[in-house]
Amino acid sequence: MTNEHAMWLPDEVSRAVRGRSIAVIGDGMLLDTVRAEAERAGMTTARPGDRADLTIVPAAQAGTAWEEPLDLDGLGPEGFVHTQRDGRAVVVYGGASGALYGWFDHLRRSLHESGDGTDRCEPRHPLRMLDHWDNVSIHPVMGQVERGYAGGSIFYEDGRVRADLSRVARYARLLASVGINRVAINNVNVGRREALLLTEDLGEVVRIADLFRPWGIRTHLAVSFAAPLTIGGLDTADPLDEDVASWWEDAATAVYARIPDFGGFLVKADSEGQPGPYAYGRDHADGANMLARALAPHGGLVHWRAFVYNHRQDWRDRSTDRARAAFDTFAPLDGRFDDNVVLQVKFGPVDFQTREPVSPVIPAMAHTKVALELQVTQEYTGQQRHAVYLAPQWREVLDFAPFGPDAAPLSDIVQGGMAAVSNVGDDAFWTGHPLAQANLYAYGRLTWDPALDPRAILDEWIALTFGDDEAARRGIRSILDDSWRTYESYTAPLGVGFMVSPLRGHYGPDVDGYEYSPWGTYHFADRDGVGVDRTVATGTGYAGQYPEPWARTYESLETVPDELVLFFHHVPYGHRLHSGATVIQHIYDTHFAGVERVDEMAATWDDLRGHVPDDVHDRVRERFVEQRRSAREWRDQINTYFFRKSGVTDERGREIY
Ligand code: GCW
């Protein structure tokens, strides 16, 4: 690989601290990382006794001689306080990882005048995870990285762990700089080859964990629930079988002997063909707890995914609703999971669609540690060929207040932190589309502080990545700020979802692609109307899985938000939205407007030539050629499909085929 892009940490970022002096107080691997960082940035080590421009000091030693002592009560191991003494910067850290996070925070602050206040910074959640869907051997359909849009894997190549993992070290640095502290290094769909990472190939996992450790990142493995059977030589994987339990205990003990800070297991069970406890008549609490007990003595976690549904449905059977499945499976199990189980729930009830309501599983699990799962990789949101900034979507999810506007938002309810699928591969720009780097950056920043404003995050990312060129900042902001809603406007309308091509890996339009498939049915369009009736009164009852006020809000056409109307209701084409438009006219209008907007975005990018590096400009321009083509394909297929179904012409007489 030549000319690997530096993402948001080009050497210029350290310009502001270059030549200044630093004193780092404390010992250990992470403090050594900070020292190496300072050296790399061109800082000098202050001589003992001299005042440094930046002092990084543990809470236990800070401030005894200061006139106004800091309030350091309860400062956690990852926290730090940013302050000044005599005009010089001081970072007081709780634990060693707090020193590292404080360092990167200092770099960010140095980019602009940071004032002289005192800021106490701590992550909202201790669990800030990134999941890789990377396969060790190349999967015949999915390739090296499942749903990967950035080339091969940075971990694996040719059926094995890469000999040269230097890129993983650079990745770890980037992740640490935004606060990620856990990475699962293989796909949740665990093939036979991948299952061996836990056993025969543990030595290779050790190599990877060694690279993450200096950056405060713990390594996790996705494991196969059937491993005792498929690679362990047992004749069952029954979670209540003693031999099975001890097989897992032995496996865990072996891992911790070599990776003492191993994070734990990530499990996709009884989902899309992955094995699970159902094969033995056991439930998901039985399965998760058995693994949890193997890990508990070592401080490990089980991330158990709630993505469980029937993917062998009969479209003729109107009573099955994929959206209901996770709640039906897991809500009755609330309270039965061990303390070191984290139930990992996708943000919506279906599957990372551009627009979905927030999953009702999350508020249903008051006695379970729930992690919110997001998808940084753009499977259903343009596959890193379309410029789509996802933080505004995540902002809405995190702000959703399941028990009503006066109660806690989702970000306060998820006790198990956040997890997301990475969008990184061995591509020169890491993420295929250079602007998709902003999604990875934003995800990390939101795991640390889920209250951040997407536009502020974007400004930060732009300044780090491209420097302080005001034209670049304005241009990129105008391209990305509303890009998620723009993408929504030219794809599946009004929350109905899917309409993607099953044959082209979920890329591009295929309105009926899933309509008669076993994976679920999503729009039910006929000559009279469109949408899925998920009401309690006449539909699948999904709306009733929400607490109030949402159950009644979604149940009624009077109150359901426009953007979700087709997710909850089947309505006539002439149904009038709160916006005043009919459903059919809304479909036409948004699809025409979406394409116009993409053309503007592309033109804005053209104008940024010279304001961003040429290789970045070329790559993004090339992606815009495809985005413009694809947006037109979406517009014309969706508009034509609904025109032919409904026979209703466009009020404005635009071209529909
Ligand atoms: O979004 C779907 C993807 C599958 C994926 C699955 C999951 C890893 O299409 O590729 O499998 O979700 O989240 O398990």
Side-chain angles (χ1 to χ4, degrees):
M1 229 268 334
T2 52
N3 293 331
E4 171 189 307
H5 190 257
M7 293 231 257
W8 52 82
L9 288 179
D11 286 338
E12 295 80 67
V13 165
S14 47
R15 205 177 27 211
V17 299
R18 202 166 292 154
R20 295 196 190 166
S21 64
I22 183 170
V24 181
I25 299 162
D27 297 309
M29 182 183 276
L30 296 187
L31 274 306
D32 288 344
T33 302
V34 175
R35 290 191 181 89
E37 274 289 303
E39 195 180 321
R40 173 186 178 141
M43 295 185 84
T44 59
T45 310
R47 276 178 315 204
D50 281 2
R51 275 187 183 270
D53 296 316
L54 169 63
T55 303
I56 299 187
V57 54
Q61 292 177 42
T64 35
W66 292 345
E67 263 166 39
E68 283 169 58
L70 291 173
D71 175 16
L72 298 171
D73 254 12
L75 185 64
E78 296 185 304
F80 61 90
V81 176
H82 168 93
T83 186
Q84 294 80 29
R85 282 295 175 265
D86 308 325
R88 294 163 195 247
V90 179
V91 169
V92 181
Y93 62 87
S97 40
L100 185 60
Y101 297 133
W103 159 258
F104 284 116
D105 176 76
H106 179 77
L107 270 192
R108 273 194 295 270
R109 285 172 197 263
S110 316
L111 288 187
H112 35 81
E113 288 314 312
S114 67
D116 41 48
T118 291
D119 262 349
R120 183 177 171 134
C121 306
E122 288 201 75
R124 169 65 70 76
H125 296 291
L127 300 177
R128 306 181 302 277
M129 180 147 165
L130 206 53
D131 294 348
H132 276 260
W133 286 357
D134 298 22
N135 301 309
V136 182
S137 39
I138 297 184
H139 185 280
V141 180
M142 295 297 174
Q144 188 78 69
V145 181
E146 179 155 345
R147 312 305 180 189
Y149 310 109
S153 166
I154 59 171
F155 302 112
Y156 317 106
E157 191 180 40
D158 300 333
R160 46 208 295 258
V161 173
R162 285 174 180 272
D164 176 3
L165 288 171
S166 53
R167 196 153 183 189
V168 174
R170 295 191 289 278
Y171 184 50
R173 174 173 184 253
L174 287 156
L175 295 188
S177 76
V178 291
I180 300 290
N181 66 356
R182 293 169 181 265
V183 174
I185 61 169
N186 63 303
N187 190 357
V188 289
N189 291 326
V190 185
R192 202 194 136 72
R193 177 67 190 80
E194 288 70 26
L196 295 173
L197 289 171
L198 179 64
T199 53
E200 272 174 34
D201 262 343
L202 186 57
E204 299 294 298
V205 181
V206 170
R207 289 177 56 223
I208 293 173
D210 285 348
L211 295 170
F212 278 124
R213 187 171 302 111
W215 301 96
I217 297 172
R218 295 170 75 166
T219 300
H220 294 236
L221 280 179
V223 299
S224 165
F225 197 77
L229 187 73
T230 51
I231 60 168
L234 302 188
D235 57 7
T236 178
D238 182 351
L240 301 192
D241 182 288
E242 277 177 22
D243 292 338
V244 170
S246 47
W247 187 89
W248 283 107
E249 280 161 22
D250 293 347
T253 305
V255 173
Y256 280 93
R258 302 186 62 189
I259 310 175
D261 60 344
F262 182 68
F265 299 151
L266 168 61
V267 194
K268 172 175 177 177
D270 291 316
S271 167
E272 299 186 332
Q274 290 295 303
Y278 283 165
Y280 308 97
R282 316 298 182 195
D283 64 28
H284 282 257
D286 297 327
N289 291 343
M290 182 272 295
L291 294 176
R293 285 191 288 267
L295 293 163
H298 312 282
L301 298 174
V302 174
H303 280 83
W304 189 269
R305 294 179 84 231
F307 185 59
V308 176
Y309 71 101
N310 176 4
H311 70 289
R312 301 207 199 289
Q313 298 173 32
D314 184 343
W315 59 269
R316 299 166 193 86
D317 167 17
R318 294 288 299 253
S319 69
T320 315
D321 178 9
R322 176 174 172 181
R324 290 190 58 114
F327 182 99
D328 287 341
T329 304
F330 288 96
L333 301 179
D334 185 32
R336 280 195 45 215
F337 291 100
D338 285 5
D339 280 353
N340 60 330
V341 174
V342 176
L343 187 68
Q344 189 165 308
V345 185
K346 290 192 182 186
F347 77 82
V350 178
D351 194 6
F352 297 138
Q353 298 304 292
T354 308
R355 175 74 70 174
E356 286 187 52
V358 167
S359 170
V361 175
I362 299 171
M365 309 296 291
H367 306 100
T368 305
K369 276 198 199 83
V370 171
L372 175 69
E373 185 178 290
L374 302 173
Q375 198 182 38
V376 184
T377 195
Q378 291 172 241
E379 175 177 4
Y380 293 101
T381 49
Q383 305 205 345
Q384 279 132 260
R385 290 179 246 188
H386 297 228
V388 179
Y389 178 50
L390 291 168
Q393 182 197 46
W394 304 334
R395 176 79 272 128
E396 286 194 7
V397 170
L398 291 163
D399 284 344
F400 178 73
F403 300 100
D406 299 328
L410 204 78
S411 52
D412 285 349
I413 290 172
V414 289
Q415 294 305 313
M418 284 161 76
V421 188
S422 175
N423 61 352
V424 156
D426 72 352
D427 168 64
F429 292 96
W430 297 85
T431 53
H433 199 312
L435 298 181
Q437 293 175 5
N439 288 327
L440 186 62
Y441 185 85
Y443 169 68
R445 299 286 287 131
L446 284 169
T447 64
W448 179 277
D449 181 357
L452 291 174
D453 171 7
R455 287 163 303 191
I457 299 176
L458 206 45
D459 278 345
E460 218 178 78
W461 174 76
I462 295 167
L464 289 162
T465 307
F466 299 109
D468 52 14
D469 183 306
E470 179 56 18
R473 192 190 71 80
R474 254 187 289 116
I476 296 171
R477 278 281 308 275
S478 98
I479 289 168
L480 289 182
D481 274 345
D482 285 324
S483 53
W484 164 57
R485 287 189 185 80
T486 297
Y487 185 80
E488 177 182 30
S489 71
Y490 61 81
T491 55
L494 297 165
V496 77
F498 279 85
M499 298 191 172
V500 290
S501 165
L503 300 177
R504 288 186 287 159
H506 295 163
Y507 187 73
D510 183 348
V511 180
D512 282 333
Y514 277 92
E515 208 54 13
Y516 308 102
S517 90
W519 298 84
T521 297
Y522 301 100
H523 65 70
F524 296 104
D526 58 23
R527 64 175 190 175
D528 299 318
V530 56
V532 188
D533 185 353
R534 291 191 164 105
T535 63
V536 176
T538 52
T540 68
Y542 167 79
Q545 293 183 336
Y546 287 87
E548 295 299 354
W550 294 106
R552 69 165 181 275
T553 304
Y554 292 145
E555 178 78 13
S556 161
L557 266 177
E558 301 289 308
T559 47
V560 68
D562 280 352
E563 67 272 15
L564 288 171
V565 64
L566 300 184
F567 192 91
F568 284 101
H569 296 269
H570 185 87
V571 296
Y573 293 111
H575 171 75
R576 227 164 255 289
L577 300 168
H578 305 303
S579 72
T582 60
V583 164
I584 190 74
Q585 194 56 43
H586 172 95
I587 292 175
Y588 297 151
D589 288 348
T590 51
H591 285 75
F592 283 113
V595 168
E596 283 168 23
R597 185 65 197 115
V598 171
D599 289 348
E600 286 165 16
M601 289 158 68
T604 302
W605 184 259
D606 281 343
D607 290 344
L608 292 183
R609 186 99 197 158
H611 295 275
V612 298
D614 284 352
D615 57 344
V616 175
H617 196 269
D618 290 344
R619 175 69 76 88
V620 173
R621 199 176 44 181
E622 169 200 310
R623 303 274 147 154
F624 268 124
V625 171
E626 167 55 16
Q627 185 173 355
R628 295 180 64 202
R629 184 207 64 76
S630 174
R632 284 172 166 72
E633 188 185 14
W634 272 101
R635 176 195 67 192
D636 293 339
Q637 284 205 29
I638 300 276
N639 284 348
T640 302
Y641 180 96
F642 285 105
F643 170 62
R644 290 183 186 172
K645 281 266 160 164
S646 69
V648 181
T649 50
D650 172 32
E651 277 170 6
R652 293 172 54 191
R654 289 162 292 194
E655 182 157 37
I656 296 178
Y657 299 87

